[in-house]
Structures are given as structure tokens and as C-alpha cells.
Amino acid sequence: WPFLDLVVWLYLIISLIMIPAMFGFSLGISETYMTILMKILEWATVKIQKANLDVELKASASNGLIQREDGSMEKELGELRRSRPKPPVGGDFTLSDCFYFSRKGIESIVEDEVTQRFTSEELVSWNLLTRTNNDFQYISVKLTLVYGLGIFVRYCILAPLRLTLALIGLSWLVIGTSTVGLLPNSRIKSWLSEWVHVMCYRICARGLSAAICYHNRENKPKKGGICVANHTSPIDIVILCNDSCYAMVGQIHGGLMGILQRAMVRSCPHVWFERAEMKDRHLVTKRLKDHVNDKTKLPILIFPEGTCVNNTSVMMFKKGSFEIGATIYPVAIKYDPKFGDAFWNSSKYSMVSYLLRMMTSWALVCNVWYLPAMHQQEGEDAVQFANRVKSVIAHQGGLIDLQWDGGLKRAKVKETFKEQQQKKYSSMVVGDDSSSNRHEVWRVWHLNNP
């Protein structure tokens, strides 16, 4: 009997989920599930809002505790100095300048713009998941019963199903790419490789109950280019590769990840580096250039932020991928936190723990926007080009555009950034004096403010 049950279980998975996923169509099961889930969450939201709770539901956690002004240092200091006439010659210093720096310091202590980007996004209303129920308590018997039923559905029905699909998808990826890798290089091999990759990623996406809406598919990345996207989770790869095939860039790993990398590179020219090679910028740039110069190879998929951000903002893009001179295809990814938190907090959860959390969430719902191709303009350096691409992605995804480096998640602020702010204020104090005098004032300031 157990063997018969297993056969029936696998037959249902293959016939109702895997085969439709392989060929990119749906039998309507996922759509029906999402419709029912939406109605349940809407009903729960109404119940919560009707309850007399001493909790103010905020429009969005991204608004934060502090309302910051978008003005520059010069503009804000100018407002403080308005009541004091400016000297006719040279720069000036007023005691009121201290209020600006004191306010900025207090704002950063209470709620800085960096660390809050590495915590899960708060929700407007409880989505019947324990991990997001920090602000709500017992409300009604009906809501408690629905919550208990949800636990049973997520852990006893969805989790085993999703785990089975994930194992099948990864197993097929290893077997399929290894088999295709045995074929001689030809168009048939390239086509089979792309089909195997997309098919396996689609199976894995079904294993997360992913509901993905792709916009502007006419702008999809083309061969010989670089696809850059904001980064929330390792699942971003599954989301994008569910619709197209890409060449990956990354460091060679051991264990299960290493097995996947070795199998994938047999059939597709992914760009893997040894740990020592990753530190050689010239070598990395050369290999990327060689890849994009071959117009028969797949577009490279890169996440320039270099770390996962909680999908409320986009942080500084590393300039490496923008120095190559290739066509850049921006992609904006925005998850709906109402159905599950897609953000991977690597400082708090291991990869296995994170994936288990995702498999016990309601679903993975997101929008993907393919944006028009972008090229480096004349006179524009790599940093300016990266910032321009980042702004376009942030605007399309409804994300906050931040200049901070995502590396601050584990590192301190670079001294060069501090010096940049000091020089900016020093130039305001010195005014239009000669460059030598300006340099002397900057030297004294720097000595007194190490």
C-alpha cells in the first residue's frame, strides 16, 4: 500500500503539475488556489480592521519613522542660514550649521537608511502567517480557526508537494544538463540546453506556487548583452529563468551547489570563477567581455547590488558590469509581501531554513518588468551609467533609490565617503576663495576631524 500511494502521488504531480510546467501552460489549479487565497486574506483583513485594536495600520513600513527631506546639504544649510546675511567676500560659518549635523546624526541613530533595508518588510495587515503576526493578537474564533486550517494546509499539504517538486526539478536539472553536455556543439545542443534549463526552473517555480506576471516582453534581454536586476533573494534566478535562459556568473562552490554548477556548465557557457580569481578584477572583466562579444552566447544575468535587499529599495550598483561596454538590459522585480516574505536575510537564516520558510508560505507573487535596453552615453563613466540604470529600475518597480553600498550590511562606511562629505562642507565654508586657501582649510578640517 505505501508503494501504491507513492506511485499515485507521483502520477498526480507529473500529470497535473510537471507536464504543464514543462510546456509553459497551466491547468488552472494555481489560478483557482490564488483566487481562493485572495478572498480569504481580504476577509481576514476586514475582520482585523473591524476589531478594536490599539494598533494603527500604516500604509507602508517603507515610509519609516522619520520623514526625511530630499534636499542636499547646501539647500538645507541655506535654509538654516537664511536669517543671517552672507558676507560679501569668501565663505562663512555659522553656529546654526551644527543643528544640521546634529539632526542628521540623530536620524541615523533612530532609523538609518541602510540597516532597515536588511530586515523583512512590515505588512499593512496580518496575512495569517505566524512569522508576520508580531503586532496582532487574538481577534475572533473564526479567524483563529482559519489560521489553524492554514497551518494544516501549508505544512501538511503544500510543503510536501513543493518539496517533491523542488527535488524533481533540481534532479532533472543535473541529469538533463549533464546529458546535453555530452552532445557536440551545435544549434541542437544550444536549443536543448535552453529548453532543459527553462523546463527545470519552471518546475521549481511551481514548487513555490509562484504567480509571476511578466511585463513588456518585447524588451527581454538578447544574446550578447547583460541583464541586470535588483536582488531580493536567490529565488530571483528562478523567477527570471522561468521565462528565459541566462548565463550565470559566480564563484565556484562545493557540495550540492557545486554539483549543480558543474552539471550546468557542461551544456551552457556559464561563467564560474575560482575564489582566487574573483579578486582579480581584470580577469573577471576580460572573461565577461569575451562572453558578451560572442553574440551566440546567452545574455549574462548579474545582480549589481551584490547582496539581498528587502525589496523596498535599490542600493548602489557595483560598477564592474557597466565597464564592459555591453548593452545593458534592466529588469525590475517586485514581490508582493502579502503572500510571503521573499527577502533572504542571510545573517539570520541559512539557505535551507530560508527555502523551508518559502515552501511553507502561501505563495510567491511578483511582477517582472523588462525595460528598454540601455547604452553608456558619451562622456558618461561606469558609475554614472550604473546609477542611471539603477534609477530606472527603482522607478519602474516602485522602489526607493538609495546611494548606499549594500556592502554596509557587514562592513563600515568607507573613509572616502566621509572625506567626500567633509570636502563638500569645507567648500561651503571657504566659499569662492583661491584653491590654495581652500586646500589649506580642508587640511586643517581633516586634521581636526580624523
Side-chain angles (χ1 to χ4, degrees):
W1 288 110
F3 177 75
L4 181 60
D5 292 340
L6 179 61
V7 171
V8 173
W9 174 255
L10 292 177
Y11 174 77
L12 291 175
I13 290 177
I14 293 174
S15 59
L16 298 180
I17 300 177
M18 289 182 56
I19 292 179
M22 289 167 58
F23 295 98
F25 68 91
S26 174
L27 297 178
I29 299 175
S30 299
E31 289 77 5
T32 303
Y33 167 72
M34 292 301 301
T35 301
I36 296 173
L37 182 58
M38 280 290 296
K39 292 183 178 180
I40 292 175
L41 293 179
E42 289 173 0
W43 171 82
T45 300
V46 172
K47 282 287 185 181
I48 293 170
Q49 291 176 343
K50 286 183 177 180
N52 295 323
L53 297 174
D54 296 329
V55 177
E56 181 182 357
L57 300 179
K58 299 179 181 178
S60 175
S62 60
N63 293 335
L65 300 173
I66 298 173
Q67 295 296 328
R68 290 181 169 86
E69 298 180 5
D70 295 331
S72 62
M73 179 191 295
E74 292 85 350
K75 181 180 178 181
E76 294 190 38
L77 285 176
E79 293 291 332
L80 290 173
R81 295 177 176 185
R82 180 179 297 176
S83 59
R84 181 180 182 274
K86 184 177 180 180
V89 180
D92 66 312
F93 167 80
T94 62
L95 189 61
S96 61
D97 293 352
C98 299
F99 292 110
Y100 168 80
F101 295 106
S102 298
R103 178 169 62 83
K104 287 296 184 181
I106 293 173
E107 286 180 354
S108 296
I109 292 172
V110 174
E111 185 185 56
D112 69 273
E113 293 183 321
V114 177
T115 55
Q116 63 175 314
R117 307 304 167 189
F118 302 115
T119 58
S120 296
E121 181 181 3
E122 294 183 15
L123 300 176
V124 174
S125 184
W126 182 34
N127 61 356
L128 302 181
L129 294 176
T130 306
R131 63 195 71 129
T132 53
N133 187 23
N134 297 324
D135 299 325
F136 299 96
Q137 305 297 327
Y138 171 80
I139 297 174
S140 68
V141 175
K142 289 183 178 179
L143 197 60
T144 303
L145 291 176
V146 171
Y147 169 66
L149 179 62
I151 292 178
F152 173 78
V153 171
R154 289 188 289 111
Y155 284 88
C156 299
I157 299 177
L158 294 180
L161 174 63
R162 291 169 176 173
L163 184 60
T164 302
L165 287 171
L167 291 176
I168 292 175
L170 293 177
S171 300
W172 282 24
L173 182 63
V174 173
I175 297 172
T177 52
S178 299
T179 303
V180 173
L182 299 175
L183 300 176
N185 292 331
S186 62
R187 289 186 177 181
I188 295 178
K189 179 181 179 180
S190 299
W191 180 83
L192 286 175
S193 174
E194 293 181 26
W195 184 75
V196 168
H197 276 83
V198 172
M199 175 189 67
C200 294
Y201 282 121
R202 284 175 177 171
I203 294 174
C204 292
R206 296 291 174 96
L208 295 168
S209 298
I212 313 167
C213 183
Y214 298 97
H215 305 271
N216 307 324
R217 279 180 163 161
E218 67 274 8
N219 296 325
K220 286 174 63 173
K222 297 179 175 56
K223 293 183 178 181
I226 297 179
C227 173
V228 298
N230 57 302
H231 197 25
T232 304
S233 158
I235 296 175
D236 294 340
I237 297 174
V238 177
I239 297 299
L240 294 177
C241 292
N242 186 65
D243 191 45
S244 186
C245 195
Y246 297 91
M248 309 296 173
V249 177
Q251 180 181 309
I252 296 176
H253 295 273
L256 176 60
M257 184 64 71
I259 295 175
L260 289 172
Q261 287 180 318
R262 289 191 294 272
M264 292 167 62
V265 80
R266 291 191 182 102
S267 65
C268 180
H270 298 287
V271 186
W272 305 131
F273 295 94
E274 297 288 350
R275 181 183 295 272
E277 294 177 332
M278 289 295 290
K279 299 179 181 179
D280 189 341
R281 290 179 55 87
H282 296 290
L283 176 61
V284 173
T285 302
K286 182 180 181 303
R287 289 192 59 184
L288 292 179
K289 280 185 177 180
D290 292 341
H291 184 100
V292 298
N293 287 336
D294 188 345
K295 302 305 179 182
T296 63
K297 292 184 177 180
L298 295 172
I300 296 176
L301 176 59
I302 296 179
F303 301 103
E305 288 171 292
T307 188
C308 294
V309 184
N310 68 357
N311 209 225
T312 61
S313 60
V314 183
M315 305 196 77
M316 186 184 79
F317 279 5
K318 303 293 191 298
K319 66 178 182 179
S321 54
F322 300 90
E323 295 176 323
I324 300 173
T327 302
I328 299 295
Y329 295 92
V331 175
I333 306 173
K334 179 61 178 177
Y335 293 92
D336 190 340
K338 179 167 55 179
F339 302 94
D341 182 19
F343 169 59
W344 180 36
N345 188 347
S346 57
S347 302
K348 188 175 181 180
Y349 302 106
S350 65
M351 175 63 78
V352 174
S353 176
Y354 166 75
L355 291 176
L356 289 176
R357 287 170 61 87
M358 292 306 303
M359 289 182 180
T360 53
S361 295
W362 290 117
L364 188 68
V365 180
C366 72
N367 284 277
V368 176
W369 290 273
Y370 296 111
L371 303 174
M374 300 180 67
H375 301 83
Q376 190 169 1
Q377 297 176 351
E378 186 177 353
E380 185 179 47
D381 60 27
V383 175
Q384 294 171 333
F385 185 29
N387 289 333
R388 185 161 59 90
V389 173
K390 176 168 67 73
S391 298
V392 170
I393 292 176
H395 176 74
Q396 180 62 73
L399 306 170
I400 301 174
D401 187 1
L402 297 178
Q403 300 298 323
W404 294 101
D405 185 358
L408 293 174
K409 182 179 183 178
R410 296 184 177 86
K412 295 181 179 180
V413 178
K414 295 180 179 180
E415 291 298 324
T416 53
F417 182 81
K418 297 180 183 178
E419 292 177 0
Q420 182 182 3
Q421 301 301 310
Q422 292 169 349
K423 287 180 179 179
K424 184 184 295 185
Y425 180 67
S426 174
S427 64
M428 293 180 61
V429 173
V430 174
D432 297 327
D433 288 354
S434 63
S435 59
S436 60
N437 187 24
R438 187 188 302 258
H439 178 75
E440 179 63 21
V441 173
W442 158 242
R443 188 182 67 82
V444 173
W445 170 269
H446 185 62
L447 291 174
N448 293 330
N449 298 271

